[in-house]
Structures are given as C-alpha cells and as structure tokens.
Amino acid sequence: MSQLVRAPWRALLPALLVCTAGLGLTIPAAQAQAQAQAQGAAATAVAMALPAGVRRVTAVEGIEEYRLANGLQVLLVPDDSKPSTTVNLTFRVGSRHENYGETGMAHLLEHLMFKGSPKHPKVWAEFTRRGLNANGSTWLDRTNYTATFAASEDNLRWYLGWQADAMVNSFIARKDLDSEMTVVRNEMEMGENDPGSILFERTVAAMYQWHNYGHSTIGARADVENVDIPRLQAFYRTYYQPDNATLIVSGRFEPAKVLGWIARAYAGVPRPTRVLPRLYTLDPVQDGEREVTLRRVGGVPLLYAGYHVPPGAHPDHAAVEVLALLMGDAPAGRLHRALTERRLAAATFAFAPGLADPGFALFGAQLAPGQDPAEARAAMLRTLESVASEPVTAEELQRARDKWLNDWERAFSDPEVVGISLSETVAQGDWRLFFLARDRVRALTLDTLQRVAVQVLLPANRTLGSYVPTERPQRAPQPQRVDLAQAMAGFVPQAAADRVPPFDASPANIDRRTERFSEAGIAAAVLAKPTRGGAVQAVLTLRFGDEKSLAGQGQVPSMLAELLDKGSARLSRQQVQDRLSALKTELAFSAGAGRLTVSLQSRREHVADALALVAELLRTPALPADALEEVRRQTLAAIEQQRKEPEAVLANALARHGNPYPPGDVRYARSFDEIVRDVEAVRLEQLRAFHQRFYGTGQAQFAAVGDLDVPALRRALREGFAGWQAGEPFARIPQPRIEVAPARLVFQTPDKQNATMSVQLALPLADTDPDYPALMMANHLLGGGGNSRLWKRIREQDGLSYNVYSGVAWNPFEPNSGWSAGAIFAPQNQAKVEAAFREELARALKDGFSAAELAEGQRGLLAFRQLGRAQDAGLAAALSSNLYLGRDFARAAEVDRALAALTPAQVLEALRKYVLPERLVSGFAGDFKP
C-alpha cells in the first residue's frame, strides 16, 4: 500500500492549508545553554553502554543520534506519552536521483520492496497479522518506510529485522515487477483523475528545464512500463545501503534495548564499497514568464503561480514559508482578501516545501462556477507581485510566524508525527534542520522577509501560463547549494523536554482513569494523563431536534456549522483566528442530522480558555453575510468538482438507490442538482432561526483526553454553557433497515482514467448483536487489510487495483448495519476486478477460513483495536460516543475477549448468515469503452 506524495490539495476543497515544513534564519544561543546540552548528552552516553560497532554522534532536544560501523544513521526519539511506537527508515533517494529513462524508478522500487525477500516472502500479510499500520512513500528527495503499532517489543524487533533484511535482500524480481505493474498504473490513473494533481505536475514540470524536480515522482508512463529490471536492481543496490539511510524510532521503547536490536539486525549488512553518484544539475535563473494549460473533463477552474525559491536548508527559506502563510492563509492572507472576499475565487492557498536543492513556492486559487478566470488571474498576480509597492507589515509577519510556530509545536508534541516528519530534514541533508527551522522562523526580521519577497515574487520568476516576452526582465538570485557545516555552526538546541510517564491504554485502565460528571447539563467524561507538550484532545457534541422538526432544513444545518468560526457578537473573524493562535488551539465544527460536533486540540494551560471561546462562538455567533456568501461559493465549487468524479457519482447513486424517504426528510439522499438548489436557497435569517430554535445543551456530551486540569475544565463548562437549553427537544432519528432490491449499476464518467467499484448490503444486526464479533472478524479476513482474501487476490496476485477493501458501518441501535466492499482500477480491467471479487466472496462463503488464517486475523485485529485506543483524539471521540450510548470500555474488553475466542466455524456461520451475494447492490463508475 505504498503512498506517492502528491500535491497537498488533491480534492481542492475549501479548507486548504498552507504547508509549513521548511527552514529560515538562524539565531544565536547562549553559551551556558550549549554547555548544559553537552553535559546532558554526556550523561546520557555514560548511562547507556553502547553495543559494539555503535558510536554516539550527538543529541538535540531529546533526540539521540548514533552511527553504526556500516554507516547507518540512527535517531532515537523515546517518548512514553503514547503507548505506541513508530519506526521510519528513510533512504536519501527520490525522483531527483533518477537518470534519463528511469523516471518513476524510485517509486516503483518502493512498491517492489513490499514484494518480500527469501526470509520475508509475505510482507503485507505479516504486517496485518501483527497489527502494524505500515506504509511507504516516495518524494523528490527521499523514500521512506514506516510502521506505527501498539508498543510491543516483539513487533519492534521483527520490524527492525524486516527493514534490515529488505535493505539488501529484497527480490526485486521480474515476476513481481510484472504483477505489480498494473497496480502502479492504477495509482498513476488515480492521480490522472484529479485535475488539481495533474495541474500541479504540469506547472512544476514547466518550472524546471533541466533539474529532476520537474519530473513527477510517479514517473513517465513510458519509463514505468518499459523499466529495465537490471537497471532497477542496480538502482536498488546503489541507493538502498546503510550509509544512505537513516533509521528513526520514536514513541514508547527502551533505548538501550532498541539500540542493541538495531546493532544485531544490521550486523550482517556490510558497509558498501560503491561511491554514491554526485548530483550537480541546477537550472539557470528563469528569464521570463512561463505558462501551461491543462484541459480535462469536469471540475472547476484552478490557477497556480509557481516561483523558484532557495533550498530548504538555505537561511532564506524561513522567509519563503512565512511568505506562503502570509499570502495563502485564511482569512488574513492577502490572496484570501483580494480574491475570496471579493468573490473572484472560491478559495486560495499556498505550498512551499523545503527541498534539498533550489525548490518552488506555489500559490493558487480555486474558482466557483461562473467566476471569471481572467479577472481572478489578474488579481492573484497583482497581489503576489506587488510586495515591492505594498511591503509586508509587522502585523502580518507576527501572525504568520505565530501560526507557523504553533504548527511546529503541535507536530513536535506527537512522537508519531516527529518520527515521520524527520524524513524531510534528513532528505534536505541534516535532521537537525528540523530544529534550526524553528529558530530561523523565530528570528525572522521584517527586512529579511521583505527582501526575500521582492527577490522571489517577480514576473520573470513566475510559471503560470503562456510565455510573454519581457523587455527588461528582472532576475531572482542565482541558485546555490548550502554549506551545511557553516549553516549548523551557530545552532544550539534547546533543552530536551522531560520524558512523559507511560500510559496503559487497556480498556480497564481507561475506565479506571476516566472521570465522569455533569456540568451545565452537559454529560462529561475526561481522562487526565501525561502527554508531550501538555497536549489535550477534546470533543463536544450537541444533539437536537427529531425527524419532524428537522425536516425541510436543507443545507441550513451544515452551512451554519461552517459559519460558527467566522466571528461572534464580540469578536470579528480575524480576532477569533488570532485568539485561537494565541491559545495554540485548533478548532473544527461539523454538522450531522440533528447533531453538531466541535473538535478541539489544545494544551493544558489553554484548554479552559479555548472552551470559553467555543461557548462564545456557539451561543453568540456573528453569522456575517459576507462569510455566508464565501461558504456558499466554496460549497458550490466543491459540488461542481464532484459531479464528474467516479467515486462521487457512484456514491450518490448508491445512496439514492432504493431510498424510500421523501425530499426534505434528513434521511433522503439528494441529487447533485438538489444539493445545489438547497445551497443557493440558504438565507441568513434561516441560519439565525435554526440557531435560536435548535442549538443548546439540552442533550450534549463532552469528552477530553490529555494533560488536564479537571477543576478548570469543569469551571469552563459551567461558566460557558450554564442556562443554555435548546428549544426543540432531541429524539434520535430512527434508521430502520430498508429492503433494497439487488442491482448492478454502471455509470459513465468520461475522460477519467481511474474507475471505481462499490458493493453494498444492508445487514440485519447492530453492534450489540451476539454475532457482532464473528462478523467483524469475517469481514477483516475477507477484506480488512494486507492479509485479507480480497487484497491478496486483487492487489497482490492479479495486480489489478491500488486499493481494495471491505468494511462494516455498525449501527449501535437498530439491526441495520451496512457492509460494503470496493476497489479502484483502470476502466479496461472492470470485468477482471468484478470477477475476482465475486470469486473470492464465493470461495469464502463455500470454504470459510482456516484456523491459521483466523489466528493471524485475531492477532492483527486485536492489535489494531489496541492501537486505536492509543490515539488521544480517537479516545476522546470514543468517550463521547460512550456517553451518548450509555457504555464504557468494558464493552470493548468484552468484544476483545469474544474476538480472541472465535472458532473458524463461528466466523463462517456469521459470514453465510449475513453476506448474501444474491442481495448485493453493486455499482461501477468510469470511462468504460464498448
């Protein structure tokens, strides 16, 4: 299940974020702090005896670097705040390292690594058996292989051993290349369906004349389909070596033990004798505007403007990243104010990744139907390229800096995120750039930001559309590499944070540690536990209305939810965003039928104040007219984007098939045209009336997990929500099972190179049914992971699909759960995919699953459930759900025991009882040819 890194706005939906991984200026640090760091590092080295052949290199803020005799770099990031471990092996090789005719080779090699070795022939199956959330990804400068799992010494030792073995002993065989080729093509076709992704590739390709950053990581189809296996093997032997790799272990583990395991696992991997190729190609300064046009079916207009920028390690890259936020953020960003607020575009965004060589900053705008691309283009370029006449202000710098630093702190507080994020600075040349980036952003001055903005945002440095000769072209600074030794010379890391005590995420301990109470009519469950950086995850759910009172509301509930963070009676939209930034808090509102959910990510010292802000936004929202129009345009743009997408077309059709409810009922499935009419019909007075009539704490649940001050939390709930009751009482909307006629539906989506299949079946059971564990296991074995029947047949054996699965949407009330299965594929492979799916389903129903399959499934599924309880956000959501359902985690423990006790006969009986092939509703959407 390899993952290709693509443009970060694949769907180009309204909530676009600015990428904030990169570097800027350095700052001096006190000599005393440096001495303290050195003394602390020395103490750590003395305390832990090193295995033979391992030497300690340095330590930075809790991260220890070691080097093996064979050249392998090892980074240990111990953190017991979450009961999980993340392992990330990063090779400093990506599409930048490919030669002529080899585009896509780094990504193709990533796929073949999972095809196994003589010692590990069934990699995905073992991942699933052990409950490892594993993956790989390829980008311009690096390839990495990651796994996150519930802390387990056995799994950690095994995964380290697999990585060491795979580094030099993978098959990389012609037979595996042949079987995987269709999968890689399917992944390529998946990207081809997305206009935003392809426009990103075309724009960046036009920016670079010689450098390989102009080549998409997925590669040219001709190169991928004609790859020479000896060249691929040579590529593997050249770059997949210990002296070109960094092994990162983060989360819960014992450093001394793990270092010993690593030393033993890699003892048989010798230091290579080959010399890595020296890459020297740099593009010349761009000497004129460039333009590229993409024409495809469906979607909405998009505009990208790309500018060449320094490498991620360059001191000026901090200014580039802050500039991207300053331009692309919402609502303060210049592009948002110039285009979105003036109704010239539906959304704006920016992206400035830190790369090893001179890279790019990309700015963009998404238009809604009816908006003028020429007018939007002119406004966008005018805004970007007017920084010389309209200099950056101190307020803009401070706001963007605060947001960048808050994002950095949130990333550093999560060991899983840290373990993965270090890949990017490893690829830039030195992992410590992760910390130097923070210091450079902190020290960034207004003069430096203005200088870089003027140097970079030049018409002659821009790639947007057609070429236009310029009489007096201006030039950006000459591209240059970075002297990393000089760049790191003045860097002094901060003191490492204290280690967080471990937390036992077993159901019994969760129940034992959870405190339940009621404040202001809100049922609450909070679990206080140590976390890195004092992180807190919280969720508040308001429930209101019934099927009659909620009928006919159309798009009002969801659009009201989208307006809640756009200001209050006291605070403007920007003041709300500034307050959230000051509180280091992320906030999200989402609406469902008779439900509003507030998700909150904050810190111990700020969460009470963040809750007070939530209460203010909920009770006295501003609901500004201009924000309503902005949300309307963005929603219409998203709908238009989906009209031609195979997945969206099929999902809408299946939802409408056999739906018995009349228009206006919240259970009715609307067509795209009906949704558009509902969106266009929403008025401010409807939003205000709905808020007044339905919102309140008459039926509400609150849950929080993390480093909590419980008395302060209770006080915030009491003071923020006291006396707020809903006018309309809550009654759960029934969801009875409806007999739907079996059908086979086919939809044409022209000019889409990726097709989709979806199979659905309503099941007459709830998650309280005695058959619940057995059917959960049956689904897991059939299509629930990398060792499932569907995966091994359609993905592994036949090589037809990048993604194939089955799953169950469990109903906690009525006997009406939903089983579904699906796959994506090239349109010409539709018949093969459908036949393979039906054959595997028939085989499972006829023969069942072996005792060995069941044992492996039990181990994997229980490990995945344990891993789920280790995620604080998911745990908070589960506590909130349990409050609503009247449950605790004893139910989870009961299900775990039932899963562990299952027999093959019980699993087969449940599968045969509920999954009836003759009742299936199957659908296909794609550009199918006669």
Side-chain angles (χ1 to χ4, degrees):
M1 195 181 299
S2 73
Q3 176 183 352
L4 178 69
V5 176
R6 297 185 183 276
W9 47 82
R10 279 188 55 81
L12 285 170
L13 295 175
L16 293 163
L17 300 177
V18 178
C19 179
T20 57
L23 312 170
L25 294 174
T26 188
I27 60 173
Q31 186 175 2
Q33 184 181 2
Q35 287 180 327
Q37 285 282 345
Q39 291 168 358
T44 302
V46 171
M48 185 171 71
L50 299 181
V54 178
R55 64 180 177 88
R56 184 179 179 281
V57 179
T58 189
V60 175
E61 300 185 29
I63 302 178
E64 295 273 342
E65 177 186 353
Y66 301 89
R67 185 77 66 166
L68 272 59
N70 59 14
L72 180 69
Q73 183 183 52
V74 178
L75 303 179
L76 299 185
V77 195
D79 186 343
D80 288 337
S81 62
K82 295 174 70 173
S84 62
T85 305
T86 296
V87 182
N88 175 15
L89 181 61
T90 299
F91 292 94
R92 288 177 285 279
V93 58
S95 56
R96 176 169 66 98
H97 301 81
E98 296 160 348
N99 291 320
Y100 186 79
E102 295 181 348
T103 63
M105 188 170 282
H107 174 243
L108 187 58
L109 182 57
E110 177 215 326
H111 274 254
L112 294 187
M113 286 284 283
F114 293 110
K115 287 296 188 178
S117 66
K119 185 177 179 181
H120 298 94
K122 299 293 183 182
V123 178
W124 282 115
E126 189 66 20
F127 288 166
T128 301
R129 280 194 292 268
R130 292 176 173 273
L132 273 58
N133 186 7
N135 211 339
S137 71
T138 308
W139 187 221
L140 300 171
D141 299 310
R142 57 93 187 136
T143 305
N144 70 331
Y145 302 86
T146 66
T148 297
F149 45 89
S152 160
E153 290 190 352
D154 178 59
N155 280 345
L156 180 52
R157 283 196 306 271
W158 181 88
Y159 190 73
L160 291 171
W162 171 73
Q163 286 188 327
D165 180 55
M167 179 181 288
V168 292
N169 294 319
S170 292
F171 289 127
I172 318 298
R174 166 58 63 184
K175 65 178 181 61
D176 293 327
L177 178 61
D178 292 342
S179 67
E180 193 70 2
M181 184 58 64
T182 306
V183 173
V184 175
R185 288 195 197 99
N186 188 212
E187 186 175 2
M188 187 180 295
E189 291 147 358
M190 178 177 64
E192 288 284 342
N193 271 17
D194 183 356
S197 177
I198 298 303
L199 184 60
F200 170 78
E201 292 182 7
R202 300 289 191 269
T203 303
V204 176
M207 292 182 70
Y208 291 95
Q209 185 178 5
W210 305 110
H211 195 281
N212 270 5
Y213 284 167
H215 295 160
S216 168
T217 308
I218 195 73
R221 181 178 287 268
D223 287 357
V224 172
E225 293 179 343
N226 296 284
V227 64
D228 180 65
I229 194 69
R231 290 179 71 179
L232 184 60
Q233 292 168 339
F235 192 88
Y236 168 64
R237 289 191 296 269
T238 298
Y239 291 105
Y240 278 56
Q241 296 289 345
D243 64 342
N244 194 46
T246 298
L247 176 62
I248 305 163
V249 184
S250 64
R252 182 181 294 184
F253 61 90
E254 290 296 328
K257 284 186 179 180
V258 169
L259 202 56
W261 297 338
I262 292 171
R264 287 192 291 274
Y266 286 86
V269 182
R271 189 181 189 94
T273 57
R274 62 90 183 89
V275 177
L276 285 168
R278 184 175 70 90
L279 305 184
Y280 44 78
T281 301
L282 292 177
D283 264 37
V285 174
Q286 186 170 323
D287 56 1
E289 299 89 332
R290 299 176 187 172
E291 182 170 348
V292 60
T293 300
L294 174 70
R295 300 184 189 276
R296 292 285 178 97
V297 172
V300 292
L302 299 169
L303 295 171
Y304 294 170
Y307 299 83
H308 294 276
V309 300
H314 194 284
D316 284 348
H317 203 272
V320 171
E321 293 206 53
V322 171
L323 182 63
L325 275 169
L326 186 151
M327 290 290 182
D329 198 17
R334 290 190 176 189
L335 289 174
H336 180 88
R337 289 186 280 117
L339 281 82
T340 310
E341 291 183 359
R342 292 180 56 213
R343 304 184 183 183
L344 300 179
T348 56
F349 44 86
F351 176 52
L355 301 176
D357 280 347
F360 55 86
L362 210 67
F363 303 85
Q366 180 193 46
L367 277 62
Q371 292 179 327
D372 184 359
E375 189 175 3
R377 165 184 167 155
M380 182 172 74
L381 298 183
R382 183 170 58 248
T383 302
L384 290 170
E385 296 169 4
S386 64
V387 286
S389 58
E390 299 177 28
V392 176
T393 67
E395 180 184 6
E396 287 177 311
L397 167 58
Q398 191 60 46
R399 180 178 293 127
R401 189 209 318 271
D402 288 347
K403 186 158 189 175
W404 193 102
L405 292 172
N406 286 343
D407 288 343
W408 189 96
E409 289 177 8
R410 274 190 292 274
F412 191 51
S413 69
D414 188 330
E416 294 177 12
V417 175
V418 172
I420 303 301
S421 297
L422 286 170
S423 285
E424 307 311 321
T425 47
V426 165
Q428 291 169 31
D430 193 312
W431 64 272
R432 295 169 298 170
L433 292 167
F434 181 81
F435 299 96
L436 185 58
R438 173 203 60 205
D439 295 355
R440 285 172 165 175
V441 169
R442 283 176 177 167
L444 182 62
T445 66
L446 190 61
D447 287 345
T448 299
L449 179 57
Q450 179 65 22
R451 171 181 60 80
V452 173
V454 171
Q455 288 177 336
V456 168
L457 297 178
L458 299 174
N461 192 39
R462 178 220 312 151
T463 298
L464 175 81
S466 59
Y467 172 74
V468 179
T470 303
E471 182 178 354
R472 299 181 182 275
Q474 294 176 284
R475 299 286 186 262
Q478 201 54 258
Q480 56 182 324
R481 287 196 169 89
V482 176
D483 183 342
L484 287 170
Q486 181 181 8
M488 301 304 302
F491 169 61
V492 179
Q494 296 180 0
D498 294 335
R499 290 188 63 176
V500 177
F503 175 75
D504 173 17
S506 66
N509 189 56
I510 291 172
D511 279 338
R512 186 164 48 248
R513 294 283 296 270
T514 298
E515 181 178 350
R516 295 174 175 83
F517 53 85
S518 178
E519 291 288 356
I522 300 173
V526 298
L527 196 161
K529 70 183 190 69
T531 56
R532 189 183 182 110
V536 175
Q537 300 280 350
V539 60
L540 171 67
T541 303
L542 308 181
R543 301 179 190 276
F544 43 78
D546 57 25
E547 60 180 301
K548 291 184 179 179
S549 61
L550 291 168
Q553 297 292 343
Q555 203 71 13
V556 170
S558 62
M559 293 184 75
L560 174 58
E562 293 191 63
L563 289 177
L564 291 175
D565 65 349
K566 306 299 190 292
S568 69
R570 183 177 64 93
L571 299 174
S572 70
R573 180 179 181 180
Q574 187 59 58
Q575 287 173 325
V576 169
Q577 294 302 312
D578 291 344
R579 180 63 173 155
L580 288 171
S581 182
L583 295 176
K584 299 183 178 181
T585 296
E586 287 288 324
L587 181 63
F589 297 93
S590 61
R595 183 185 72 252
L596 176 76
T597 301
V598 186
S599 300
L600 190 71
Q601 180 181 346
S602 190
R603 301 177 65 160
R604 175 186 175 90
E605 65 271 24
H606 296 307
V607 68
D609 290 337
L611 270 178
L613 178 60
V614 168
E616 179 178 347
L617 293 172
L618 286 174
R619 300 188 72 166
T620 59
L623 306 182
D626 59 341
L628 170 59
E629 294 309 312
E630 177 184 327
V631 168
R632 193 193 315 276
R633 292 190 298 272
Q634 291 174 349
T635 305
L636 291 172
I639 297 168
E640 188 65 23
Q641 177 77 17
Q642 294 298 304
R643 283 181 180 272
K644 302 295 184 181
E645 294 302 318
E647 292 85 353
V649 169
L650 184 55
N652 183 259
L654 290 174
R656 292 174 59 78
H657 176 71
N659 185 292
Y661 299 103
D665 192 293
V666 295
R667 294 161 294 188
Y668 173 71
R670 297 172 292 171
S671 68
F672 289 120
D673 288 341
E674 288 173 319
I675 299 172
V676 167
R677 287 196 294 270
D678 285 346
V679 171
E680 292 174 338
V682 173
R683 298 293 177 263
L684 271 178
E685 53 270 23
Q686 293 175 293
L687 300 176
R688 296 190 181 106
F690 188 94
H691 176 268
Q692 181 67 28
R693 179 182 178 187
F694 288 99
Y695 275 21
T697 56
Q699 169 67 257
Q701 298 83 37
F702 173 80
V705 176
D707 193 352
L708 299 173
D709 180 347
V710 177
L713 206 62
R714 297 189 67 161
R715 185 168 55 253
L717 287 170
R718 185 167 57 251
E719 294 175 355
F721 295 98
W724 192 37
Q725 296 291 318
E728 289 287 346
F730 168 73
R732 185 181 63 82
I733 298 172
Q735 295 285 349
R737 178 170 170 266
I738 306 296
E739 284 289 343
V740 176
R744 185 180 183 276
L745 311 175
V746 180
F747 300 91
Q748 284 289 345
T749 54
D751 204 31
K752 297 297 180 181
Q753 296 188 38
N754 194 55
T756 188
M757 174 188 78
S758 182
V759 177
Q760 297 185 357
L761 178 66
L763 306 175
L765 83 166
D767 70 1
T768 55
D769 193 284
D771 289 334
Y772 169 61
L775 188 58
M776 181 195 302
M777 179 59 69
N779 174 76
H780 179 72
L781 297 176
L782 179 64
N787 199 33
S788 68
R789 293 278 185 88
L790 292 176
W791 177 277
K792 288 190 290 188
R793 169 66 186 278
I794 298 175
R795 164 80 194 238
E796 293 278 348
Q797 177 183 317
D798 294 352
L800 295 170
S801 175
Y802 175 72
N803 187 33
V804 57
Y805 64 91
S806 69
V808 185
W810 296 103
N811 188 322
F813 296 105
E814 296 100 341
N816 179 26
S817 298
W819 182 77
S820 63
I824 61 171
F825 49 88
Q828 63 269 25
N829 290 329
Q830 184 274 327
K832 294 179 181 178
V833 171
E834 183 177 10
F837 166 77
R838 292 191 176 275
E839 288 169 9
E840 289 304 316
L841 178 57
R843 184 165 72 94
L845 288 166
K846 177 178 180 292
D847 301 329
F849 305 97
S850 69
E853 278 183 288
L854 176 58
E856 293 168 357
Q858 288 167 320
R859 178 180 178 181
L861 184 54
L862 289 170
F864 280 125
R865 287 171 60 83
Q866 182 183 355
L867 178 61
R869 293 190 290 266
Q871 311 303 316
D872 288 355
L875 185 54
L879 288 172
S880 176
S881 176
N882 280 347
L883 286 170
Y884 175 54
L885 298 174
R887 300 178 182 176
D888 57 24
F889 273 86
R891 171 59 178 163
E894 178 186 339
V895 173
D896 284 352
R897 289 191 295 271
L899 289 169
L902 287 170
T903 66
Q906 290 172 316
V907 174
L908 177 57
E909 181 182 2
L911 185 67
R912 287 174 172 173
K913 181 177 179 181
Y914 295 103
V915 180
L916 309 176
E918 67 274 12
R919 300 301 305 169
L920 295 178
V921 177
S922 58
F924 303 86
D927 191 0
F928 304 121
K929 305 300 182 185

